[in-house]
Amino acid sequence: GAGVSQSPSNKVTEKGKDVELRCDPISGHTALYWYRQSLGQGLEFLIYFQGNSAPDKSGLPSDRFSAERTGGSVSTLTIQRTQQEDSAVYLCASSVGITAHEQYFGPGTRLTVT
Amino acid sequence: EDQVTQSPEALRLQEGESSSLNCSYTVSGLRGLFWYRQDPGKGPEFLFTLYSAGEEKEKERLKATLTKKESFLHITAPKPEDSATYLCAVYDRGSTLGRLYFGRGTQLTVWP
């Protein structure tokens, strides 16, 4: 079946602009996760959704970052007033449930802020 | 302090030369340890889940093992197509529900 998809695959934006990154999880997966991967760094957890609810937003780096999920499916990660330090690969994953289930990742969106 | 430490950072092997990658972890209560493979420009690909010390999982040339403090990914007779970055992640009983802690990975290169 179809895996996790993300769009766009690449995004170049100017400092100060807003960007939206989209994630379409595996059908039937109730849990959805966002991670950030910077060069030479491990994956940094940002936020997760159980259904449409995000119980813990403490992983978001700043208040410029927000995320939503509608219909228990597609999720959007929005970064406002982008900064150069936001440049990274943003990865989305989904899983059947929230507890100790393997997470399946999408291909990521490479964001470059100039 | 990192909760997951992987070693070595990089490993070069000749085709057929077996070796092991290490993942050591510090968590309050392990609920699961996950191994992923990541190719350049792609998202991590799930390989194994281990839940308790003594557990082992195998897939082709890969075998993952788990103790109370670390996990090993053994690669037997590797081939060039095994070249990738291998990531380890843990799910901690005491952490945010659903949150995985990842190590920085081991970059494996297998040359013919």
Side-chain angles (χ1 to χ4, degrees), chain A residues 33 37 48 56 100 102-103 106, chain B residues 36 38 43 49 51 91 96-98:
Chain A
Y33 314 81
Q37 188 173 36
Y48 86 93
D56 183 353
E102 49 265 24
Q103 299 177 12
Chain B
Y36 287 84
Q38 186 172 26
T49 307
Y51 292 107
Y91 184 44
T96 299
L97 205 60

Side-chain angles (χ1 to χ4, degrees), chain A residues 46-61:
Chain A
L46 299 179
I47 192 171
Y48 86 93
F49 289 88
Q50 177 62 19
N52 292 333
S53 173
D56 183 353
K57 300 180 181 179
S58 62
L60 295 175

Side-chain angles (χ1 to χ4, degrees), chain B residues 2 12 21 27 29 33 39 46 48 50 55-56 60 68 74 82 85 95 98 108 110-111:
Chain B
D2 288 348
R12 287 177 55 86
L21 313 182
V27 295
L33 185 141
D39 293 297
F46 170 75
F48 303 110
L50 301 167
E55 190 175 359
E56 299 182 351
E60 296 180 354
K68 289 186 177 180
H74 307 278
D82 294 323
T85 296
S95 69
L108 174 67
V110 182
W111 48 286

Side-chain angles (χ1 to χ4, degrees), chain A:
Chain A
V4 177
S5 60
Q6 293 186 245
S7 62
S9 55
N10 281 285
K11 177 70 177 180
V12 180
T13 189
E14 292 180 353
K15 178 182 173 181
K17 295 286 181 70
D18 298 350
V19 295
E20 283 190 356
L21 312 180
R22 176 189 167 106
C23 172
D24 203 338
I26 293 172
S27 177
H29 281 192
T30 60
L32 184 148
Y33 314 81
W34 284 98
Y35 292 85
R36 179 168 71 174
Q37 188 173 36
S38 303
L39 194 63
Q41 303 295 316
L43 272 74
E44 176 189 3
F45 174 84
L46 299 179
I47 192 171
Y48 86 93
F49 289 88
Q50 177 62 19
N52 292 333
S53 173
D56 183 353
K57 300 180 181 179
S58 62
L60 295 175
S62 75
D63 58 8
R64 296 184 295 104
F65 287 71
S66 63
E68 65 175 13
R69 189 181 186 193
T70 56
S73 182
V74 172
S75 176
T76 302
L77 178 69
T78 301
I79 308 173
Q80 295 179 310
R81 305 180 303 281
T82 52
Q83 304 294 312
Q84 288 188 330
E85 60 262 29
D86 298 334
S87 295
V89 176
Y90 289 82
L91 291 160
C92 174
S94 69
S95 65
V96 169
I98 201 68
T99 54
H101 291 281
E102 49 265 24
Q103 299 177 12
Y104 294 90
F105 284 81
T109 293
R110 180 175 298 277
L111 175 65
T112 303
V113 182
T114 61

Side-chain angles (χ1 to χ4, degrees), chain B residues 79-94:
Chain B
K79 298 181 178 181
E81 54 261 42
D82 294 323
S83 296
T85 296
Y86 290 85
L87 300 171
C88 169
V90 299
Y91 184 44
D92 181 6
R93 189 184 306 275

